[in-house]
Amino acid sequence: MRRARVTVGLALFSVVLAVISFAQQLRATGDKTILFESFDEPFEGRWIVSEKDEYKGVWKHSKSEGHEDFGLLVSEKARKYAIVRELENEADLKEGTTVLQFETRLQNGLECGGAYLKYLRPQEAGWVAKEFDNDSPYSIMFGPDKCGGTNKVHFILKHKNPKSGEYVEHHLKFPPSVPSDKLTHVYTAIMKPDNELRILVDGEEKKKANFLSSEDFEPALIPAKTIPDPDDKKPEDWDERSKIPDANAVKPDDWDEDAPMEIEDVDAVKPEGWLDDEPEEIDEPEASKPEDWDDEEDGEWEAPKIQNPKCESAPGCGEWKRPMKSNPAYKGKWRAPLIDNPSYKGIWKPQEIANPDYFELEKPDFEPIAAVGIEIWTMQDGILFDNILIAKDEAEAALHREGLWKPKFDAEKEKQKAEEAAATGSDALAGIQKKVFDVLYKVADIPFLKDHKDKIIELVEKAEKQPNLTIGVLVSIAVVILTVFVKIIFGGKKAAKVEKKPAPAAAATEASSKEESSVEKDESTSTAAPRRRTTRRE
């Protein structure tokens, strides 16, 4: 355990060094950051909590478990949460690369709930910070979501259709799943000017897609060029049957449609030892009618049934019947065989026509990001958000991952390993202690230790209740055994006692006295309370 604490301490110290190194590197690079929220300071003033009635969840400025690093904490179970922060300068997603990145730690796991971010459009789109809710218009929704059959890192683009003017949600197909542990994870979405999208989890690429590909987004951003003609109707004489019954086929004369599928096996023979007169079940012999049973209210009482014990060793009980077998003469209902349909025209489909809603697109018409919001419903508390970044450079996002996320993650992994090792070690130690106790109980039964048995058992029972005393108990018992050995080996012999031979009368009197004393001793021995015998409770 001490070693585990040292390991964790070194891991946490490495976090401090990594953060210092990260700060130096960040100053040395060109700052292409649009937003970076570390939550080092309380969020009040920068973030606005929704005042809508349904959002009762309480946000807290809290340390990540085991770290000195702060984050934004979901503090209550089974609540809706909504909070938003407006950007000083809008993020233009149409120019160059844009990186969205943030950390989430599911400190109590995630069985049902969201842990994603919404990147909102400018307020001209029709929303107010204090009334931020599910209907507030966003450009992108990104992050973990898990409940029931849903387990994915969402990426949803809300894109304006240039023809209809409607905003349509386009969902990334086959997104990565959410890590199932309770460690800090960092989620990154990289949007490139060539329409490429990359999703990273902990810096590792999990998904690559193209915004304009119908294989990657549902529905596709670019509609199909042609669509089925809604006015085209299938002709009445259109035959879609590829096979038809042979009209010239005739049922054979010997075809018996009434023959059963199964018949009795006439060759079967009743097994020897079959108990025809024994029922398979009998009344429970020991069952009796309850004293409070009322036949008028409860009905006629019947004893519960049990399997007839006589049937267990016999091949069977009760009336024997021949088993059934498949009927070789069975043919079933006669049907004409199928032949190719000479009139078959295939499966009918309406004709394709030009799609009136089709449009071409060289790149998505991204709406700018004016705010970052968290609007979720979750059954778990303990969700911690941290280090929210919007940047125009992949390298800068990578620098944040290496400098801020990775040291924390590595420290958490080391702590997890140390705890698992300690738990494994504790289990092994408990197993060893149990074996030691078993041996000590046997030691207590050794004949030459009988005078000390009660004391030894008392010590062992105390150690079982307080395992940390095991070593002390072993030492104490060793001292007892050593003491007994010393007495046995070095105790010496007693000097012979010289007695004068008594006179005859005196001898008779002495003998009588000894006899009475012996009788009294025997009576005392037989009537004394038996010695306490302590037995081990399993």
Side-chain angles (χ1 to χ4, degrees):
M1 184 63 72
R2 183 178 179 183
R3 182 180 178 183
R5 286 197 293 267
V6 171
T7 302
V8 174
L10 290 174
L12 293 175
F13 180 66
S14 68
V15 173
V16 176
L17 293 179
V19 171
I20 294 173
S21 174
F22 162 72
Q24 292 173 344
Q25 294 180 60
L26 191 61
R27 284 196 296 270
T29 61
D31 188 3
K32 295 186 178 180
T33 300
I34 297 172
L35 170 70
F36 176 63
E37 174 60 83
S38 65
F39 295 104
D40 289 340
E41 301 296 330
F43 61 86
E44 289 86 354
R46 301 187 311 282
W47 292 77
I48 299 172
V49 178
S50 176
E51 296 177 358
K52 283 291 192 75
D53 290 340
E54 63 265 36
Y55 296 96
K56 301 296 186 182
V58 176
W59 296 98
K60 289 187 178 180
H61 183 242
S62 177
K63 288 182 181 178
S64 180
E65 185 178 327
H67 301 293
E68 291 300 312
D69 187 37
F70 282 87
L72 183 63
L73 179 70
V74 169
S75 67
E76 298 176 303
K77 298 179 180 180
R79 292 284 188 273
K80 284 186 175 182
Y81 292 80
I83 192 170
V84 66
R85 176 178 172 175
E86 297 181 47
L87 276 59
E88 292 183 6
N89 299 303
E90 294 180 358
D92 186 355
L93 304 183
K94 295 180 181 179
E95 295 298 327
T97 296
T98 303
V99 183
L100 309 177
Q101 183 170 282
F102 68 98
E103 297 173 15
T104 295
R105 187 178 185 187
L106 310 174
Q107 296 178 126
N108 296 326
L110 184 64
E111 295 179 5
C112 190
Y116 44 77
L117 268 59
K118 288 185 175 181
Y119 299 86
L120 285 84
R121 289 157 48 196
Q123 288 188 338
E124 289 78 6
W127 65 276
V128 179
K130 289 185 178 182
E131 297 179 4
F132 173 51
D133 62 10
N134 182 58
D135 296 324
S136 298
Y138 64 86
S139 291
I140 292 170
M141 190 175 99
F142 172 52
D145 189 18
K146 184 178 179 182
C147 193
T150 299
N151 182 347
K152 57 187 173 183
V153 180
H154 276 296
F155 186 94
I156 303 174
L157 171 64
K158 212 161 191 180
H159 187 261
K160 184 178 180 180
N161 184 304
K163 281 206 168 184
S164 67
E166 289 184 33
Y167 283 89
V168 180
E169 287 186 359
H170 301 274
H171 293 246
L172 178 66
K173 289 183 179 180
F174 313 114
S177 58
V178 181
S180 59
D181 54 47
K182 299 178 182 180
L183 307 178
T184 301
H185 294 281
V186 58
Y187 299 90
T188 310
I190 303 172
M191 296 178 287
K192 306 285 287 183
D194 61 356
N195 298 325
E196 181 184 89
L197 169 67
R198 293 169 56 217
I199 304 296
L200 281 58
V201 179
D202 297 344
E204 180 181 348
E205 183 177 297
K206 297 293 185 180
K207 177 73 175 180
K208 181 184 284 187
N210 188 295
F211 280 108
L212 303 185
S213 171
S214 60
E215 300 296 321
D216 293 329
F217 280 87
E218 176 65 35
L221 269 74
I222 301 177
K225 285 187 176 182
T226 62
I227 60 171
D229 184 356
D231 297 324
D232 194 9
K233 305 296 181 183
K234 182 173 70 173
E236 293 182 1
D237 61 348
W238 190 277
D239 197 338
E240 293 183 325
R241 298 172 300 163
S242 61
K243 297 282 186 179
I244 58 173
D246 184 357
N248 298 319
V250 179
K251 182 176 73 172
D253 294 335
D254 62 348
W255 191 284
D256 184 1
E257 292 185 331
D258 299 324
M261 185 181 294
E262 290 185 331
I263 57 174
E264 190 178 80
D265 186 358
V266 295
D267 297 325
V269 178
K270 180 171 68 174
E272 186 178 350
W274 188 280
L275 305 178
D276 298 85
D277 299 328
E278 289 290 340
E280 293 183 1
E281 290 185 337
I282 61 172
D283 291 344
E284 169 73 54
E286 299 179 359
S288 60
K289 181 178 178 180
E291 294 181 0
D292 60 349
W293 186 278
D294 188 327
D295 290 337
E296 293 184 1
E297 292 185 4
D298 302 325
E300 183 181 354
W301 182 82
E302 294 181 358
K305 299 289 186 180
I306 61 169
Q307 293 293 323
N308 189 343
K310 295 181 181 180
C311 299
E312 293 181 1
S313 57
C317 289
E319 182 185 358
W320 181 81
K321 295 181 179 179
R322 284 190 173 87
M324 303 297 286
K325 69 174 185 178
S326 298
N327 182 4
Y330 172 75
K331 293 184 178 181
K333 188 73 175 177
W334 182 85
R335 292 181 176 82
L338 297 177
I339 60 173
D340 291 336
N341 182 4
S343 302
Y344 176 66
K345 295 183 179 180
I347 302 300
W348 183 85
K349 295 180 180 179
Q351 294 183 355
E352 292 284 317
I353 60 172
N355 184 0
D357 297 323
Y358 173 76
F359 56 84
E360 293 186 358
L361 202 62
E362 292 186 2
K363 58 177 56 182
D365 186 18
F366 293 113
E367 296 282 345
I369 297 174
V372 175
I374 306 174
E375 186 274 318
I376 58 175
W377 174 87
T378 178
M379 292 300 293
Q380 272 71 48
D381 57 353
I383 301 174
L384 193 80
F385 295 90
D386 197 9
N387 294 330
I388 299 173
L389 173 72
I390 301 176
K392 300 299 289 185
D393 185 8
E394 288 184 65
E396 191 166 345
L399 188 61
H400 279 75
R401 287 196 303 272
E402 290 298 312
L404 296 178
W405 165 77
K406 195 171 189 306
K408 283 194 295 188
F409 180 78
D410 290 345
E412 290 164 11
K413 288 286 285 185
E414 286 300 320
K415 182 181 179 183
Q416 185 182 63
K417 289 179 182 177
E419 289 174 348
E420 289 173 353
T424 302
S426 297
D427 292 341
L429 180 59
I432 293 171
Q433 286 175 327
K434 185 178 184 302
K435 292 179 180 178
V436 170
F437 297 147
D438 290 339
V439 171
L440 292 178
Y441 277 111
K442 292 177 182 178
V443 168
D445 288 327
I446 296 175
F448 72 80
L449 293 175
K450 62 181 180 179
D451 292 337
H452 305 277
K453 180 176 180 179
D454 288 348
K455 182 62 177 178
I456 293 173
I457 289 177
E458 182 181 343
L459 288 170
V460 177
E461 289 180 340
K462 187 174 183 180
E464 282 186 311
K465 294 176 181 177
Q466 303 180 60
N468 57 312
L469 300 179
T470 301
I471 300 299
V473 168
L474 287 173
V475 173
S476 300
I477 294 175
V479 170
V480 172
I481 295 172
L482 183 61
T483 302
V484 174
F485 269 118
V486 169
K487 286 183 178 180
I488 291 174
I489 296 172
F490 300 106
K493 297 181 180 179
K494 292 183 179 180
K497 189 175 182 180
V498 180
E499 296 180 355
K500 291 182 180 180
K501 189 174 182 180
T509 303
E510 183 179 348
S512 176
S513 176
K514 285 183 178 179
E515 186 177 352
E516 290 176 0
S517 176
S518 175
V519 171
E520 289 175 358
K521 183 176 180 182
D522 290 341
E523 290 177 353
S524 174
T525 303
S526 63
T527 59
R531 181 179 177 183
R532 180 178 69 89
R533 179 171 180 172
T534 306
T535 57
R536 184 184 180 193
R537 301 182 190 89
E538 295 295 339

